[in-house]
Structure formats: C-alpha cells, structure tokens
Amino acid sequence: MVKNAEVPPPNNHVDPAARDSSDKEGRGALPDWLALHYVSTKYSRSVTRAVEYSANDFALYQVAKGMDMTEDAAKYLNRSRNWRNHWNPAVTASGFSGFVMPRHEDGSFVNQDPLSCGGCYWPNAYYEALPWEYTFNPVHDMATLIDYMGGTEQFINRLNVTFEPNKGPKGRTVAFGNTIFDPTNEVSFLTPYLYHYAGRQDLSVKTARNLAEKNYKPGKSGLPGNSDSGAMQSWLLWNMAGLYPVTGQTTFLIGSPWFGMTIDRGEGKTLKITTNQGGNDTAIYVQSLRINGRKWNKNWLQWNDVFANGGTLDFDLAEEPSGWSLDGELPPSPASERQSL
C-alpha cells in the first residue's frame, strides 16, 4: 500500500488514448501528486485521479491509524485533503459557485464547464462523470465541502438540482429524466445519501427510494446500466436494507428498510431489521429507531454497533417526515478540521 502511494509505476503505454502514464497498475500521476499536491493536465483523467488519490490516501490514514503509526497517519490524512487544491470557487453553473477543476502545471485553472466532461474518457480530465458529480465525492472531508459550497442550505439546494429533471446536459441521461445525477455510474452512487451530512436524512430517504423505484425493475433488463460485477445490484440491496456504507470508513448511513429481514453474519451472528411498515411504499420516513433495544437519534451507525457481533434495528416508519435525527450528531467527516455544522 505504501509503495502504491509513494512509488510511480512504470509507464506501460497500454491505452493509445492516454500514453502519459500507466493505466494498468499503480498511481500513474503520482509525480504530480507528490510534487504539486494536485494532478495537473500533464496527465489524463487529472481531476478523476486527484479525487481518487485523495480517497486512496485517506484509506492509508485509516490503516496507519489502526496500526498506531502516528506519523504516517498524519501524513496521509493531510494528503487526503489534496482534492481541495482542485477547488475553483470562481466557476459557476446553474447558479452555484465552486467545483473541482483541472489545473495546469503552473497552477492556473482550466476554463471548464461543470456540466461537461468533454469525451468523459481516458484522455479527458474527468472519466465517465461530470465535474458537478465528482465535486460531491470527497466523502471523508464532507464538512469542508459543505463550507466550500456556501453552507448547509446551499449544499442542500445543489443536491436538489442534481436530481431535478432536465438540469443535466441534453442527451446524456435521457432515459432518466435528463438529470445531472447518473444512476448508471458508481461516481454518483453515494450522492443521494449526502443529505445526511446536512442533517436531512428524510431527503436522503425520499431521493434514494425514488431513484430505486424509477430506475430498477424486475427481469433481465431491470438494471439501469452495466452491472459492473454486481455494483448496481449492491446499490439496490443496501437501499432495501435501509443502510448505506461510506467508502473507506466504518460508517453506515441510516435510510429506511423496504421490509423486515435478517442478515446472517456467520458464526451465529445476525443483524435483524424490523419495520412496522414492511411492504408499504409510501410509509418510508423514520419516526423512531431502536438499535439493540436503545433509542437512537443519529442518522448513522458504525460497524461495531450492529455488524461486528450482530444486532437489531427496529424502525418505526410513517408517511410523513418526523424530524427524527435532527438533534442527533451528524455523520463523521474525519479529514475536516471542522467536524460539525
């Protein structure tokens, strides 16, 4: 893992569309990451790589922290914040300012439309997703991102526009209402749940349930896009279970289950999820929740709460939002200097 983070791989020149660095193994744009603390346009997929490298370094921080390697943990946590060096507050789209943007080696920003990713392929700055979408990706540093976007209200408003019909580039997501959000792409998988970080778990539930019901159907053609080794199915299953895992963390965001279920963890451990509204498609909002018999007012939980040794989640659901969890602690934002709103 450390070698991947510190040693640039040899350039294999595999893809003729992106001969600038390795696209087979390792971090091909690592020289820029180490020297400039961002990935310049010298490298293909520069912004995509920067966002991903930030997540990679956060993962190393987690491992180093778990091994009590204090210096390494501090080093990689700091590097996980390098996505910030791609933030250009001067760029606007749909009434919102600030997006992760490409930068030249001299530090200047590229004039990029946040609603266009060019060819969206190997030689471009963004791979398979819009700048708008990638801007929501630093989930380990979400409190900082909310600040950058202008605070909680602006963050919520920007999320709302992400899912609004006919706000996306024409022709890109026609089958899904021409939204900025693309349900076929992993880059946007977590985005419907980001309302949690603004204290609006009810909006996450409303949005994620709506997306699932509109975009997934029974049968051979029931997935909105390429399965990608089960990625699409996994998104739907977590939605149905009423939980969603946060990449690189032990955090799970709490949604609302579609029905009761028991998940076998092995070794005699189970997670039992119950709901008073199993099968009711309109009673989706949490009124109260008990975890292992205890009242719970946070919109998230940790692995150790219900997975490590098993546990229970008992949901009381209804057709209208209740304000449940509004007074609870927000999900962790480990790389942010400011932890709460």
Side-chain angles (χ1 to χ4, degrees), residues 133 173 176 179 181-186 188-189 211 215-216 224-225 232:
E133 294 174 279
T173 56
F176 312 107
T179 56
F181 173 79
D182 182 359
T184 71
N185 199 334
E186 287 88 341
S188 288
F189 272 15
L211 290 169
N215 299 322
Y216 289 80
M232 293 287 160

Side-chain angles (χ1 to χ4, degrees), residues 107-291:
S108 61
F109 282 100
V110 175
N111 185 18
Q112 173 84 31
D113 179 2
L115 292 175
S116 172
C117 50
C120 305
Y121 197 58
W122 287 108
N124 307 111
Y126 304 85
Y127 182 66
E128 291 193 348
L130 301 172
W132 184 297
E133 294 174 279
Y134 271 108
T135 295
F136 280 113
N137 268 207
V139 68
H140 60 288
D141 200 8
M142 195 54 60
T144 300
L145 181 64
I146 291 174
D147 283 346
Y148 280 10
M149 288 187 174
T152 304
E153 184 176 350
Q154 280 292 85
F155 180 74
I156 292 173
N157 290 340
R158 194 186 293 211
L159 280 172
N160 290 342
V161 170
T162 303
F163 303 104
E164 191 174 329
N166 300 315
K167 291 293 185 179
K170 289 184 179 180
R172 181 171 176 269
T173 56
V174 175
F176 312 107
N178 233 37
T179 56
I180 296 172
F181 173 79
D182 182 359
T184 71
N185 199 334
E186 287 88 341
V187 175
S188 288
F189 272 15
L190 185 61
T191 309
Y193 292 93
L194 295 182
Y195 290 103
H196 275 67
Y197 291 87
R200 293 299 306 272
Q201 184 266 2
D202 60 305
L203 293 179
S204 290
V205 167
K206 177 181 178 181
T207 303
R209 181 70 70 96
N210 180 58
L211 290 169
E213 291 178 345
K214 281 187 174 181
N215 299 322
Y216 289 80
K217 296 175 176 60
K220 294 182 179 179
S221 301
L223 298 177
N226 189 314
S227 169
D228 274 356
S229 301
M232 293 287 160
Q233 294 92 328
S234 297
W235 187 91
L236 180 62
L237 289 172
W238 281 113
N239 189 305
M240 289 179 168
L243 294 169
Y244 202 84
V246 178
T247 305
Q249 301 178 42
T250 57
T251 301
F252 291 78
L253 304 178
I254 298 170
S256 80
W258 293 28
F259 39 77
M261 65 187 75
T262 298
I263 300 173
D264 187 351
R265 288 275 299 108
E267 299 180 345
K269 302 172 185 177
T270 61
L271 168 57
K272 185 177 182 180
I273 301 173
T274 68
T275 168
N276 64 322
Q277 297 288 348
N280 188 329
D281 291 338
T282 58
I284 63 174
Y285 296 106
V286 180
Q287 309 298 297
S288 65
L289 171 64
R290 287 183 178 271
I291 294 185

